[in-house]
Amino acid sequence: MQVRELRHRVEIGDLLTRYARAVDGGDWDALDDVFTRDAVLDLTAPGGIKGGLAEVKSWLAEALARWPGRQHLLGVPLVEFPVDPGDTAIASVSFTDTLSPSRDVVQADTPGISRGGGIYHHDLVLLPEGWRSRAMRIEQQWRTMS
């Protein structure tokens, strides 16, 4: 593996983490540094929408408002470069997430807590400002709610 590829893998891992941190913190404008302006995000598997970045940011802000306590845990990403070395990549990363109706300590059986897991699939492109996702799809593998 070349140094350039290793650097790209680290940068892509950071990009995936920035996505999770933006969603967990409700920093919807931070998603502008994760996705291209024309990105298509498919959140339909867990019950969300499919659309452009602006539409999805607005939907996330409204849909996740009832769960101010949010946390993602990401696995190690699988990154593939169709052309080596190139300016495109495909990244998949497993995740678990917890959504809570409060940021305070609550009982584990508090109504409204949701836990789930799946895989984020990203089609990535290398731009002058760094790696960006031009398409993301969520593969939901499980979900529980109290």
Side-chain angles (χ1 to χ4, degrees), residues 2-102:
Q2 299 293 325
V3 171
R4 180 174 184 221
E5 182 179 338
L6 291 171
R7 186 179 76 241
H8 288 323
R9 288 178 182 279
V10 169
E11 290 169 359
I12 290 168
D14 287 350
L15 180 79
L16 301 174
T17 300
R18 282 199 309 274
Y19 169 77
R21 294 269 178 97
V23 171
D24 291 349
D27 187 358
W28 312 120
D29 289 336
L31 295 175
D32 295 342
D33 294 329
V34 173
F35 295 96
T36 61
R37 297 178 91 175
D38 62 346
V40 175
L41 290 77
D42 184 351
L43 287 67
T44 56
I49 65 167
K50 180 178 181 177
L53 181 57
E55 180 183 12
V56 170
K57 283 170 44 174
S58 178
W59 182 86
L60 284 168
E62 183 177 332
L64 294 179
R66 64 184 275 204
W67 291 293
R70 298 184 288 269
Q71 184 179 33
H72 278 83
L73 298 174
L74 300 178
V76 176
L78 173 62
V79 179
E80 300 173 89
F81 298 96
V83 177
D84 184 30
D87 61 357
T88 62
I90 299 166
S92 299
V93 63
S94 60
F95 71 90
T96 58
D97 65 17
T98 300
L99 305 173
S100 174
S102 173

Side-chain angles (χ1 to χ4, degrees), residues 115-128:
R115 293 178 183 90
I119 302 173
Y120 291 121
H121 299 279
H122 289 266
D123 291 334
L124 304 167
V125 61
L126 182 58
L127 302 176

